[in-house]
Amino acid sequence: MTRHLQQMIHVGCRDLGIDADARHDLQLRVVGKASMSDMNAAELQKVVNELKRQGFKPSSNGRSKERRTHKLAPRGDLRVIHVLWSKLGQKGVLDRPGRDGLNAFIRKQFGESWASVPADVDMIRDPKQIQAVISALEAWGKRAEIDYDFGRRG
């Protein structure tokens, strides 16, 4: 719970344009402690409430409603990769379900067979490489008994 509140404070400060020094001052003013690591959940919640009073509008996951952590992938076929990876994460078969885990999977799976592996999945432009990633994720999903039908009619 406290980690979630700490993340919410960081997001709120970013959205409101509050830098680290100003955040420490705000925390000191609100609860008498400059460091979040010294605060309990009730004190962290007071800081969140102050950020809300100043205009912060958190979403249910603690992230800003106005901003995304990452933009949507630039192409539909790349978005499919993200959806497949997300389904694997929801099934609980991934050690690292986030974007960095997906990038690590691509490096490990294709690093030796491709001439070069992009730093981020959304940088892949070769349709053959994109299809190779999709096929690998679909095969993994089938082994994990994930239904990847997506409403297709056969």
Side-chain angles (χ1 to χ4, degrees):
M1 178 65 167
T2 57
R3 182 70 189 134
H4 173 74
L5 291 169
Q6 290 173 345
Q7 289 173 334
M8 193 178 296
I9 290 168
H10 283 292
V11 171
C13 288
R14 182 194 67 214
D15 285 0
L16 296 173
I18 298 172
D19 66 14
D21 291 333
R23 177 178 53 83
H24 290 125
D25 292 342
L26 176 131
Q27 292 167 179
L28 193 58
R29 179 176 50 81
V30 172
V31 295
K33 298 176 182 175
S35 173
M36 284 192 282
S37 62
D38 295 336
M39 295 181 206
N40 61 32
E43 292 167 329
L44 291 166
Q45 187 61 57
K46 286 180 183 180
V47 175
V48 169
N49 292 342
E50 175 60 20
L51 292 171
K52 287 178 182 178
R53 190 190 68 71
Q54 293 183 24
F56 173 53
K57 294 181 176 96
S59 65
S60 60
N61 65 3
R63 298 199 193 304
S64 166
K65 289 182 180 179
E66 290 80 27
R67 294 184 178 185
R68 292 178 180 260
T69 304
H70 294 281
K71 293 180 181 178
L72 287 176
R75 299 172 36 164
D77 49 3
L78 293 173
R79 286 192 291 275
V80 169
I81 292 172
H82 288 282
V83 169
L84 296 173
W85 187 257
S86 175
K87 293 254 185 208
L88 287 164
Q90 291 168 4
K91 185 73 171 183
V93 298
L94 301 177
D95 292 329
R96 294 168 56 191
R99 183 183 200 93
D100 61 329
L102 174 57
N103 289 324
F105 166 78
I106 291 170
R107 282 189 299 275
K108 183 178 179 183
Q109 184 80 13
F110 302 103
E112 292 182 20
S113 61
W114 293 355
S116 67
V117 178
D120 186 79
V121 61
D122 290 338
M123 296 169 66
I124 301 173
R125 293 295 178 259
D126 182 343
K128 290 179 184 175
Q129 290 178 333
I130 293 169
Q131 189 54 51
V133 175
I134 290 172
S135 295
L137 293 175
E138 284 178 334
W140 189 0
K142 286 179 184 173
R143 290 190 303 274
E145 299 179 350
I146 296 173
D147 178 18
Y148 283 146
D149 186 24
F150 297 119
R152 293 183 209 141
R153 308 242 180 225

